[in-house]
């Protein structure tokens, strides 16, 4: 919980600074109250019965069509903002409610002013969570604080001088990032009605020059990170432990907005190391992985290669990464333990049924992914040669959460040129 609170503090600090940056007079303020209703998908077998979900949100946004920074114009004047929301999940006793804080960004799509897509990533506090005795059927939420992700499509149905009415449809996801098990997460599908209450005063932008040259530059980057995860639902393995990461990459930045690159990563999993050093059941003499004890450090490590993409928003970056694991042997232990039963017990019994190495295993063992937010000390609109960033990410095995990570990194940019 202490680690999660650290991550939430970082997120909220980013949110606060984002507000400060976005409140400049060249970016018009928009306040949007929003009501959502929908369904919460069952996270597990015997999931508690529940009524439809209800959400009430307050969105504080800034329209960047008048922002002269290059990223704002390259992205056709997106809207950035902060959402604060309350959700009721239709069962006060077993599912409770949540409060969410989430930075967001919204784009026009298909060159249609009325049609926009919104994405956001933040944090939520839940009033009710899983308990093996008092609330065993809610395996969706097992920690007080979770990460939250939102993707929505909005359509403007009526437009007025002071208020624009919109409807929407989309998806909400909550997960603790594999910091405690079970971690089934909550997936919700919702429709919404919202009202953009506009600041009718036009931003004072004078006659800025919104024309930009087509540019490119190269960069190299180094990053070190600290993460946490758990190994298994079994009590003996369900305490969070450390994951240490190192990464290096090379790539290019186009028009000071789109960043594309590739590199290599190294990770060390404390849970895997302790399992091997502790001579647990799957590495004991005569067991399937007894040879792991020859070199616990080697078999507790993971390295691979990856490709990465990022959208630069001056001080902030929206980052995604997909990789190929070249070495992750201890994931076989992970899979054997966790995929054996549909509803694993909290203590491993003698007749435990281990997971099979099927196609699903091969894909999850091979493919890694990473999604999160970066904060750059120096705004990228200044095109600095040297920069430092902090980031918050969720790392996954083919979309299934692996560990939650905070990191610090360095970027060196060079070879600036017009295209």
């Amino acid at each position: 919980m202490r680690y999660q609170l650290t991550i939430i503090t970082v997120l909220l600090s980013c949110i606060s600074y984002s507000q400060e940056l976005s409140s400049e007079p060249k970016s018009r303020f928009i306040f949007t109250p929003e009501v959502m209703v929908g369904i919460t998908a069952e996270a597990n077998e015997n999931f508690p019965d529940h009524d439809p979900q209800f959400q009430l949100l307050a969105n504080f946004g800034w329209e960047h069509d008048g922002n002269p920074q290059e990223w704002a114009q390259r992205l056709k004047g997106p809207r950035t903002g902060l959402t604060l929301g309350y959700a009721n999940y239709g069962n006060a006793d077993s599912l409770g409610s949540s409060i969410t804080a989430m930075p967001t960004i919204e784009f026009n799509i298909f060159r249609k002013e009325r049609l926009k897509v919104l994405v956001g990533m933040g944090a939520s506090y839940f009033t009710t969570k899983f308990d093996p005795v008092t609330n065993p059927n809610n395996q969706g939420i097992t920690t007080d604080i979770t990460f939250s992700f939102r993707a929505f499509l909005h359509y403007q149905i009526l437009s007025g001088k002071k208020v624009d009415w919109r409807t929407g449809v989309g998806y909400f996801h909550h997960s603790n990032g594999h910091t405690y098990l079970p971690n089934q997460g909550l997936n919700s599908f919702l429709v919404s009605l919202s009202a953009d209450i506009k600041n009718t005063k036009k931003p004072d932008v004078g006659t800025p020059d919104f024309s930009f040259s087509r540019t490119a530059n190269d960069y190299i980057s180094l990053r070190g990170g600290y993460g946490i995860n758990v190994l298994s639902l079994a009590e003996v393995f369900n305490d969070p432990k450390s994951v240490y990461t190192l990464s290096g990459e090379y790539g290019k930045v186009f028009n000071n907005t789109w960043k594309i690159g590739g590199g290599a990563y190294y990770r060390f999993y404390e849970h895997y190391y302790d399992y091997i050093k502790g001579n647990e059941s799957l590495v004991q003499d005569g067991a399937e992985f007894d040879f792991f004890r020859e070199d616990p450090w080697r078999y507790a490590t993971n390295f691979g290669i990856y490709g990465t993409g990022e959208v630069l928003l001056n001080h902030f970056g929206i980052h995604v990464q997909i990789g190929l694991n070249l070495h992750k042997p201890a994931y076989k232990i992970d899979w054997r333990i966790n995929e054996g039963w549909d509803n694993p017990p909290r203590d491993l019994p003698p007749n435990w049924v281990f997971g099979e190495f099927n196609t699903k295993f091969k894909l999850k063992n091979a493919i890694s992914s990473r999604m999160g937010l970066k904060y750059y000390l120096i705004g990228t609109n200044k095109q600095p040669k040297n920069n430092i960033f902090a980031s918050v990410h969720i790392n996954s095995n083919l979309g299934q959460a692996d560990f939650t990570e905070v990191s610090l990194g360095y970027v060196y940019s060079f070879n600036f040129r017009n295209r």
Side-chain angles (χ1 to χ4, degrees):
M1 181 57 65
R2 183 181 302 172
Y3 182 81
Q4 287 179 290
L5 289 174
T6 300
I7 293 176
I8 302 311
T9 300
V10 172
L11 280 172
L12 293 180
S13 298
C14 290
I15 292 168
S16 300
Y17 194 74
S18 176
Q19 285 183 280
E20 180 183 339
L21 288 176
S22 301
S23 60
E24 60 183 81
K26 296 184 178 68
S27 302
R28 185 168 52 151
F29 176 73
I30 306 287
F31 174 65
T32 307
E34 186 171 12
V35 176
M36 294 183 180
V37 293
I39 60 172
T40 304
E42 294 191 358
N44 51 269
E45 291 185 8
N46 303 315
F47 192 69
D49 294 333
H50 55 282
D51 295 326
Q53 180 186 148
F54 169 81
Q55 288 201 39
L56 182 62
L57 300 96
N59 304 286
F60 305 90
W62 289 265
E63 297 277 9
H64 290 281
D65 50 349
N67 187 336
Q69 294 184 30
E70 185 172 3
W71 68 267
Q73 296 307 307
R74 295 288 188 190
L75 297 176
K76 309 300 181 185
R79 179 188 300 184
T80 61
L82 169 65
T83 293
L84 301 177
Y86 166 83
N88 183 293
Y89 296 92
N91 183 327
D93 293 332
S94 298
L95 302 180
S97 57
S98 66
I99 297 173
T100 297
M102 175 182 291
T104 62
I105 186 166
E106 189 174 46
F107 305 90
N108 294 332
I109 60 173
F110 307 127
R111 301 182 182 275
K112 302 292 185 181
E113 292 292 330
R114 289 179 175 269
L115 191 63
K116 297 187 177 183
V117 61
L118 177 146
V119 294
M121 183 177 177
S124 297
Y125 169 78
F126 277 80
T127 61
T128 304
K129 62 183 179 181
F130 167 85
D131 185 277
V133 177
T134 62
N135 194 17
N137 292 331
N138 174 13
Q139 297 182 22
I141 300 298
T142 56
T143 55
D144 294 324
I145 297 173
T146 72
F147 288 98
S148 54
F149 172 79
R150 179 186 176 191
F152 251 74
L153 188 68
H154 285 121
Y155 181 75
Q156 182 178 302
I157 51 178
L158 292 173
S159 180
K161 184 177 181 181
K162 293 185 178 181
V163 179
D164 292 338
W165 290 93
R166 311 195 306 173
T167 187
V169 60
Y171 166 74
F172 235 105
H173 174 70
H174 297 278
S175 167
N176 68 35
H178 209 71
T179 58
Y180 194 80
L181 295 179
N183 180 38
Q184 303 294 344
L186 285 186
N187 296 292
S188 305
F189 304 90
L190 304 140
V191 295
S192 74
L193 179 66
S194 59
D196 283 345
I197 302 174
K198 299 178 286 188
N199 176 0
T200 56
K201 182 180 179 181
K202 295 290 184 180
D204 181 16
V205 298
T207 56
D209 181 7
F210 284 163
S211 62
F212 297 95
S213 301
R214 290 165 55 86
T215 62
N217 68 268
D218 298 79
Y219 76 90
I220 54 175
S221 179
L222 297 174
R223 172 182 59 83
Y226 174 78
I228 61 170
N229 76 345
V230 295
L231 179 57
S232 172
L233 179 62
E235 286 286 4
V236 67
F237 303 131
N238 206 3
D239 291 329
K241 292 190 177 181
S242 302
V243 181
Y244 301 95
T245 68
L246 291 172
S247 173
E249 73 182 55
Y250 162 80
K252 296 180 181 294
V253 178
F254 298 98
N255 298 331
N256 205 27
T257 305
W258 295 280
K259 190 174 182 179
I260 298 174
Y265 55 83
Y266 169 87
R267 298 165 177 169
F268 173 79
Y269 290 76
E270 187 178 23
H271 252 305
Y272 294 161
Y273 182 82
D274 288 349
Y275 186 96
I276 299 168
K277 288 289 289 185
N279 197 28
E280 300 291 347
S281 58
L282 290 179
V283 297
Q284 293 175 0
D285 289 339
E288 184 175 10
F289 305 110
D290 58 358
F291 61 95
F292 282 11
R293 300 205 321 271
E294 298 172 1
D295 193 344
W297 188 279
R298 172 189 172 191
Y299 289 105
T301 61
N302 163 220
F303 55 82
I305 56 176
Y306 66 88
T308 182
E310 186 176 350
V311 180
L312 299 175
L313 311 175
N314 194 19
H315 281 274
F316 293 89
I318 302 172
H319 178 248
V320 294
Q321 174 181 309
I322 187 165
L324 177 65
N325 290 319
L326 303 178
H327 176 82
K328 195 176 183 180
Y331 185 66
K332 293 179 179 179
I333 294 174
D334 196 323
W335 184 268
R336 285 294 204 208
I337 294 174
N338 291 310
E339 297 301 318
W341 290 0
D342 291 333
N343 295 293
R346 301 181 67 77
D347 295 296
L348 297 181
N351 62 338
W352 181 260
V353 179
F354 294 112
E356 297 180 358
F357 294 145
N358 52 22
T359 301
K360 184 179 179 182
F361 160 77
K362 293 176 182 178
L363 290 173
K364 287 183 178 290
N365 190 43
I367 300 175
S368 68
S369 56
R370 192 167 179 265
M371 180 177 71
L373 300 173
K374 288 184 176 181
Y375 169 70
Y376 291 92
L377 183 62
I378 304 173
T380 55
N381 66 305
K382 297 180 180 180
Q383 295 185 310
K385 288 186 176 180
N386 300 281
N387 210 341
I388 296 172
F389 65 85
S391 65
V392 179
H393 283 77
I394 293 180
N395 295 266
S396 306
N397 301 308
L398 194 65
Q400 182 182 27
D402 184 17
F403 64 95
T404 304
E405 176 193 13
V406 293
S407 58
L408 291 173
Y410 166 76
V411 182
Y412 174 70
S413 301
F414 59 101
N415 195 22
F416 293 90
R417 58 198 182 278
N418 290 326
R419 293 192 295 154

